[in-house]
Amino acid sequence: AAAAAASAAAAPPPPPPPPTAAVAATAAPPAPPAAAAATAAAAAPCKGCGGTGATPCKPCAGTGNLTPGGFHAKNHVDMKTVVGTNWTAHRRTQGWRHFEAIGKSPADRANGKPEALVQLAATCDRDITVWVPAKEMKDRMLWSAGWKQKEELDWEGDANTPGGAVARPKAGAVCVVCEGAGAVPCARKGCKLGLERVIRQKEVVEKTERQFKRMMQATKGSDDTDTLDRRRRMKRQLKDMSKAAEEVTGGGGAGGTRRKKAAADREAAAALAA
């Protein structure tokens, strides 16, 4: 009996029972602060797009249509060559709407003349002339370059009133940057949804460009009027698509644009693979 007791005292104690799930969860070490912050940041929606992957298109201000001047927000008024150009007033001016530039008075700030002025003469009554600030003529809501016809403008108000109806430029062409959607992929760094949209959009643009180029190659040398018109439209569309690509990548010359596009593609591939 004494030997048995001595042997029992010398034996090692049994291992403790495994902790329960509740005890194990309580005893688990907390995650490092940096890792917790990274996890929270990854779970939070993108601040640029709110988790939608898209932001309003800047060239068309989210409307899906460009301004009447396309990528140019204002009428072009070159004081060197303005004489001889034709203009349409959106409001009756001295009773008329169609004018021709017959004179100019450039700005001379040194002598207290801050504004450049253009002298316009009514096309149907050359005795009626008016001096208009060049800055005002650049405003597309007030003037249109060229002699516009009624159907080329939108109208507001009563034409029989003394001032007549007020013209407004019609909506421009569909924006080639967002393809009329009014939104573009989110460009904020780290936004996976935005990068997915960029890749899909790029695939669609490249497919369209290939189709246009094949069609232009197939119709090369044709003298059919309709075919020539289609070729002109496709050339213009390809040019607009090129401008849109520069707008998205931020310009910076051909080399800079290619580098930016390559960097964006690498970032997109890495983010989607993660």
Side-chain angles (χ1 to χ4, degrees):
S7 176
T20 62
V23 174
T26 304
T39 303
C46 172
K47 292 182 179 179
C49 63
T52 63
T55 55
C57 178
K58 289 184 179 180
C60 67
T63 63
N65 289 90
L66 296 173
T67 59
F71 288 98
H72 303 282
K74 298 180 180 180
N75 291 320
H76 179 66
V77 180
D78 187 344
M79 293 302 291
K80 294 180 180 179
T81 58
V82 68
V83 174
T85 57
N86 301 323
W87 297 86
T88 299
H90 291 184
R91 291 180 180 271
R92 282 182 188 167
T93 303
Q94 300 287 339
W96 300 98
R97 293 189 184 274
H98 288 170
F99 292 85
E100 180 184 352
I102 61 171
K104 61 184 179 179
S105 178
D108 187 359
R109 293 180 175 82
N111 294 316
K113 186 175 177 295
E115 280 192 325
L117 302 174
V118 178
Q119 186 181 24
L120 303 177
T123 55
C124 295
D125 188 346
R126 306 295 288 187
D127 292 332
I128 295 180
T129 62
V130 60
W131 286 92
V132 181
K135 182 178 179 180
E136 180 181 316
M137 293 175 64
K138 292 179 181 181
D139 191 336
R140 292 188 182 277
M141 300 304 291
L142 301 177
W143 292 86
S144 287
W147 290 334
K148 300 296 183 184
Q149 303 304 314
K150 282 186 176 182
E151 59 272 12
E152 296 181 84
L153 298 167
D154 288 333
W155 297 88
E156 299 175 358
D158 186 358
N160 296 319
T161 58
V166 178
R168 289 289 181 265
K170 289 188 175 183
V174 174
C175 178
V176 295
V177 175
C178 64
E179 297 182 343
V184 294
C186 178
R188 192 180 182 89
K189 186 176 181 179
C191 181
K192 286 190 175 183
L193 290 176
L195 291 172
E196 290 174 358
R197 283 176 174 261
V198 168
I199 291 174
R200 288 199 300 269
Q201 188 180 64
K202 182 180 177 182
E203 291 173 349
V204 171
V205 169
E206 289 178 348
K207 181 179 179 181
T208 304
E209 287 180 342
R210 288 194 299 269
Q211 290 176 342
F212 279 9
K213 289 177 180 178
R214 283 198 300 267
M215 292 172 66
M216 291 183 67
Q217 185 65 29
T219 57
K220 187 175 182 180
S222 174
D223 57 357
D224 179 68
T225 304
D226 292 339
T227 302
L228 292 174
D229 185 55
R230 282 197 300 272
R231 285 177 60 84
R232 280 193 295 269
R233 290 200 301 268
M234 284 189 288
K235 282 183 178 179
R236 185 167 58 248
Q237 186 72 6
L238 286 170
K239 186 176 180 181
D240 288 343
M241 291 166 76
S242 176
K243 287 183 179 179
E246 291 179 5
E247 179 75 22
V248 171
T249 55
T257 299
R258 285 194 294 269
R259 287 193 295 271
K260 288 179 182 179
K261 291 178 73 174
D265 292 344
R266 288 196 299 270
E267 183 183 353
L272 293 177

